[in-house]
């Protein structure tokens, strides 16, 4: 059997259908087990995949067995997608000149753009859960800067400002700060940068992303007037990969919709 | 104000149910316009809630959005395509989903401030639109599997159904990726293990990926595709719609 034949079998649609269905079933089963004991899964927000598998995963197999199967199925699906994309993209590109005349190259490639970005997304998730620096609950106060672990990067709080919110729907939200503006000074050696950040508005420095997790005072009426900011600090190569995968996948999806629309117009099923 | 919004939604649900009942007596324009009026009420109620709570997202508003989106898709099918025959099922679906959402509300919690981002809004609206598309595809598949119709009608219905699923899939992609972006900017992690619905939504996404791969195979029979869409819709309702509703309550605190 030659290599082309092997790639063709490994990347076959029949295998893709089997793996997609298995992944889907494992996720539905997972949602049931998550509902039965969510406390086992919540630590996945902070632990790495390997740490979680060795601790919570192993100690609660009655609830987590599906997750191990899910990982295996996802790996198989990822491999199948890789070979499928390799095989079909090669076929399309080898007919490039003929397809170019009908403006079909990009449209025919659209499912494979989605496949390719799916692989990038999988890699992104894998890196996100396996490597990188994740530091939680870094409390920053005016007189108490935060230093990122094993670096000289120092984060200082300069200013906190916020306008009380007036809700038209929930009285309980009146007076709360929903959009605080926090001025930071981030320094490393002689380099110093001033940055503004807030909720859902992280700052980036030397590959680190710094997120606002929580803050006080929460409202203008707060008893505590001391300004305190809780930071989540992350550095992970999976994040740019993940974002790239998202952009590519959406592009592929829209190209596929156009392709399908053109097909429908031609009267194909 | 929240009570009035709930009452407007309830009024819309009741009008949709009325149009469903009218279908048994007479079909045609009158029934269609009553239905459109009901969908207008449910949709306006959702829009008012979004505007009044802006820039925050109302928690668990998805069941209302799904009802309104089911109605909008149904109106498109009734008024702009030649699928008059499925109107009874479409009005029935919209009426039952709207009534269920009205009497089993989950939006009793105050919005939390991290919903203050456009990503949260896109996530909420698009993931609801996707679920609505899958639920409408469920009733179309129901008709395709059990209805006694000529083959050409079934082929047209299947083509429309597949396009609806593709549209739902695209909306789900946008919703899911927006959710991931929200999770990243808010918590520093593109995945939040907070609710079992997120796993079920991923399950639905992979299920419809399977459906689309099934569709690629030219040998797949129409009846098999209808059955697959039927099962997909059922899974969507059981795993992603019902868990987004709450306990029984009288709308508007009547």
């Amino acid at each position: 059997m030659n290599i082309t034949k092997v790639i063709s079998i490994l990347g076959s649609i029949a295998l893709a259908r089997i793996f997609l269905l298995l992944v889907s079933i494992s996720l539905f089963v997972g949602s049931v087990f998550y509902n039965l004991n969510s406390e086992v899964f919540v630590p996945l927000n902070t632990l790495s995949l390997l740490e979680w598998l060795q601790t919570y995963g192993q100690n609660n197999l009655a609830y987590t067995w599906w997750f191990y199967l899910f990982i295996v199925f996802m790996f198989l699906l990822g491999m199948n997608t890789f070979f499928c994309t390799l095989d079909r993209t090669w076929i399309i590109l080898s007919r490039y000149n003929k397809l170019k005349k009908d403006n079909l190259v990009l449209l025919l490639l659209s499912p494979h753009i989605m496949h390719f970005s799916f692989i990038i997304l999988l890699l992104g998730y894998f890196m996100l859960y396996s490597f990188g620096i994740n530091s939680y609950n870094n409390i920053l106060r005016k007189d108490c800067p935060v230093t990122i672990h094993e670096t000289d990067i120092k984060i200082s709080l300069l200013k906190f400002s916020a306008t009380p919110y007036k809700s038209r729907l929930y009285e309980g939200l009146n007076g709360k700060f929903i959009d605080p503006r926090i001025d930071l000074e981030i320094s490393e050696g002689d380099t110093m940068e001033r940055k503004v950040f807030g909720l859902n508005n992280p700052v980036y420095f030397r590959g680190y992303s710094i997120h606002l997790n929580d803050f006080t005072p929460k409202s203008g009426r707060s008893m505590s007037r001391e300004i305190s900011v809780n930071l989540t600090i992350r550095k992970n190569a999976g994040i740019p990969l993940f974002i790239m995968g998202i952009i590519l996948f959406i592009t592929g999806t829209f190209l596929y919709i156009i392709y399908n629309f053109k097909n429908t117009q031609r009267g194909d099923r | 104000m929240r009570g009035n919004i709930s009452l407007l939604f309830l009024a819309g649900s009741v009008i949709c149910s009325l149009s469903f009942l009218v279908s048994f007596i007479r079909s045609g324009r009158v029934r269609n316009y009553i239905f459109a009026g009901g969908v207008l009420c449910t949709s306006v109620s959702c829009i008012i809630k979004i505007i009044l709570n802006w820039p925050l997202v109302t928690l668990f508003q998805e069941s209302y959005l799904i009802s309104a989106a089911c109605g909008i898709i149904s109106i498109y099918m009734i008024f702009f395509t030649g699928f008059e025959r499925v109107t009874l099922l479409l009005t029935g679906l919209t009426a039952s989903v709207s009534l269920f959402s009205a009497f089993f509300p989950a939006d009793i919690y105050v919005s939390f401030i991290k919903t203050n981002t456009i990503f949260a809004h896109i996530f909420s609206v698009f993931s609801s639109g996707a679920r609505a598309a899958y639920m409408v595809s469920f009733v179309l598949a129901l008709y395709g599997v059990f209805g006694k119709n000529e083959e050409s009608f079934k082929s047209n219905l299947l083509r429309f159904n597949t396009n609806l699923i593709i549209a739902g899939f695209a909306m789900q992609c946008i919703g899911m990726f927006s959710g991931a972006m929200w999770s990243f900017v808010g918590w520093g992690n593109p995945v939040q293990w907070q609710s079992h619905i997120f796993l079920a939504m991923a399950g639905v996404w992979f299920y419809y990926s399977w459906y689309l791969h099934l569709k690629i195979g030219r040998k797949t029979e129409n009846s098999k595709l209808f059955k697959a869409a039927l099962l997909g819709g059922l899974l969507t309702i059981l795993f992603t719609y019902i868990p987004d509703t709450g306990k029984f309550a009288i709308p508007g605190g009547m």
Side-chain angles (χ1 to χ4, degrees):
Chain A
M1 215 187 290
N2 63 17
I3 187 113
T4 329
K5 185 95 177 160
V6 173
I7 289 175
S8 185
I9 292 168
L10 289 174
S12 73
I13 288 182
L15 274 182
R17 285 179 191 156
I18 294 167
F19 296 145
L20 280 168
L21 209 52
L22 288 173
V23 169
S24 175
I25 292 167
S26 62
L27 283 165
F28 284 122
V29 171
S31 87
V32 173
F33 281 98
Y34 184 100
N35 207 19
L36 290 174
N37 191 354
S38 60
E39 283 170 18
V40 175
F41 298 96
V42 172
L44 270 167
N45 286 323
T46 46
L47 294 177
S48 79
L49 183 65
L50 206 63
E51 281 171 332
W52 184 88
L53 289 174
Q54 286 170 344
T55 53
Y56 289 89
Q58 265 183 16
N59 295 330
N60 299 280
L61 272 176
Y63 297 101
T64 59
W65 60 269
W66 65 270
F67 196 80
Y68 292 87
L69 285 179
F70 168 72
I71 292 171
V72 173
F73 296 149
M74 280 303 277
F75 174 75
L76 293 172
L77 181 64
M79 294 304 285
N80 169 264
T81 309
F82 173 75
F83 286 116
C84 172
T85 308
L86 197 71
D87 187 33
R88 305 296 147 84
T89 308
W90 177 251
I91 293 170
I92 292 168
L93 291 181
S94 63
R95 293 177 194 163
Y96 180 80
N97 285 334
K98 189 181 177 299
L99 295 168
K100 195 184 161 193
K101 278 181 201 164
D102 303 327
N103 289 326
L104 279 173
V105 179
L106 208 56
L107 293 179
L108 283 175
L109 278 177
S110 63
H112 306 295
I113 294 172
M114 288 159 81
H115 286 164
F116 180 62
S117 47
F118 176 70
I119 296 168
I120 294 175
L121 280 168
L122 282 184
L123 280 174
Y125 271 120
F126 179 71
M127 290 181 76
L128 207 68
Y129 273 107
S130 309
F131 311 105
I133 297 158
N134 308 311
S135 173
Y136 301 94
N137 294 321
N138 298 281
I139 307 297
L140 179 67
R141 292 193 186 92
K142 268 207 165 162
D143 52 351
C144 182
V146 164
T147 304
I148 297 179
H149 187 58
E150 290 181 352
T151 69
D152 295 329
I153 301 172
K154 199 168 90 175
I155 307 165
S156 310
L157 175 66
L158 297 179
K159 197 176 144 198
F160 177 96
S161 55
T163 320
Y165 177 62
K166 183 147 177 47
S167 174
R168 289 176 289 181
L169 215 54
Y170 297 102
E171 270 183 33
L173 281 173
N174 282 337
K176 289 250 160 83
F177 296 147
I178 65 159
D179 199 8
R181 183 194 144 104
I182 296 157
D183 290 46
L184 298 177
E185 186 183 87
I186 308 175
S187 58
E188 185 187 28
D190 297 336
T191 321
M192 193 188 292
E193 283 183 34
R194 277 188 74 149
K195 298 200 179 234
V196 178
F197 92 138
L199 279 176
N200 301 315
N201 183 21
V203 287
Y204 305 92
F205 187 82
R206 302 266 194 272
Y208 287 91
S209 63
I210 302 160
H211 306 258
L212 175 59
N213 188 35
D214 203 358
F215 61 92
T216 50
K218 292 250 189 300
S219 72
R221 300 190 300 264
S222 284
M223 297 295 280
S224 163
R225 304 301 300 167
E226 192 191 7
I227 296 162
S228 164
V229 174
N230 183 334
L231 304 176
T232 295
I233 301 166
R234 300 207 71 178
K235 187 177 191 177
N236 199 312
I239 290 165
L241 263 181
F242 186 80
I243 292 169
M244 193 170 86
I246 286 178
I247 294 165
L248 264 177
F249 199 100
I250 289 179
T251 311
T253 308
F254 278 100
L255 283 171
Y256 180 72
I257 288 173
I258 298 167
Y259 173 58
N260 193 65
F261 180 69
K262 284 195 170 182
N263 257 351
T264 310
Q265 277 187 328
R266 279 188 208 145
D268 290 358
R269 190 183 80 198
Chain B
M1 179 53 95
R2 274 193 296 149
N4 290 338
I5 295 170
S6 299
L7 286 177
L8 180 64
F9 186 87
L10 178 66
S13 313
V14 170
I15 297 169
C16 286
S17 309
L18 196 69
S19 76
F20 174 64
L21 295 175
V22 169
S23 301
F24 290 101
I25 306 162
R26 58 179 294 180
S27 56
R29 268 194 197 171
V30 177
R31 184 263 324 269
N32 294 350
Y33 285 122
I34 294 174
F35 180 66
V39 174
L40 187 70
C41 288
T42 54
S43 306
V44 167
S45 133
C46 292
I47 292 166
I48 291 174
K49 201 189 272 181
I50 289 173
I51 291 171
L52 287 183
N53 204 26
W54 193 270
L56 303 179
V57 174
T58 308
L59 297 183
F60 296 104
Q61 64 174 344
E62 283 75 15
S63 61
Y64 300 102
L65 291 175
I66 290 169
S67 315
C70 279
I72 291 166
I73 298 168
S74 302
I75 283 181
Y76 172 75
M77 284 198 71
I78 293 166
F79 285 92
F80 302 105
T81 64
F83 296 111
E84 184 71 13
R85 286 184 229 181
V86 288
T87 310
L88 180 72
L89 283 176
L90 292 173
T91 51
L93 171 83
T94 309
S96 47
V97 170
S98 307
L99 280 175
F100 195 83
S101 304
F103 284 101
F104 293 88
D107 62 333
I108 51 170
Y109 306 101
V110 176
S111 304
F112 66 101
I113 58 174
K114 270 197 183 173
T115 58
N116 183 7
T117 165
I118 191 69
F119 291 125
H121 288 275
I122 296 172
F123 167 70
S124 177
V125 171
F126 278 80
S127 68
S128 305
R131 280 179 274 179
Y134 297 148
M135 282 157 77
V136 172
S137 95
F138 167 75
V139 293
L140 299 185
L142 207 64
Y143 201 77
V145 172
F146 299 107
K148 300 268 180 282
N149 290 289
E150 62 275 21
E151 212 44 52
S152 63
F153 178 81
K154 280 195 174 179
S155 288
N156 276 337
L157 192 66
L158 181 66
R159 193 184 303 160
F160 185 88
N161 204 19
T162 304
N163 284 342
L164 188 63
I165 287 172
I166 292 172
F169 189 77
M171 280 195 277
Q172 194 178 1
C173 288
I174 295 171
M176 227 164 58
F177 294 143
S178 258
M181 288 304 293
W182 173 28
S183 179
F184 170 65
V185 294
W187 292 267
N189 197 349
V191 185
Q192 279 297 303
W193 291 79
Q194 295 286 359
S195 158
H196 63 106
I197 301 175
F198 119 82
L199 282 173
M201 283 298 281
V204 166
W205 190 84
F206 278 104
Y207 182 88
Y208 283 104
S209 302
W210 171 75
Y211 177 90
L212 294 176
H213 281 80
L214 204 63
K215 188 223 155 207
I216 293 168
R218 297 278 164 181
K219 285 173 194 163
T220 314
E221 295 160 14
N222 286 0
S223 62
K224 201 172 178 183
L225 287 170
F226 271 130
K227 282 174 190 163
L230 191 72
L231 181 63
L234 199 64
L235 289 169
T236 306
I237 294 167
L238 289 177
F239 282 91
T240 69
Y241 167 69
I242 292 175
D244 248 349
T245 53
K247 287 179 183 163
F248 177 79
I250 303 291
M254 283 190 295

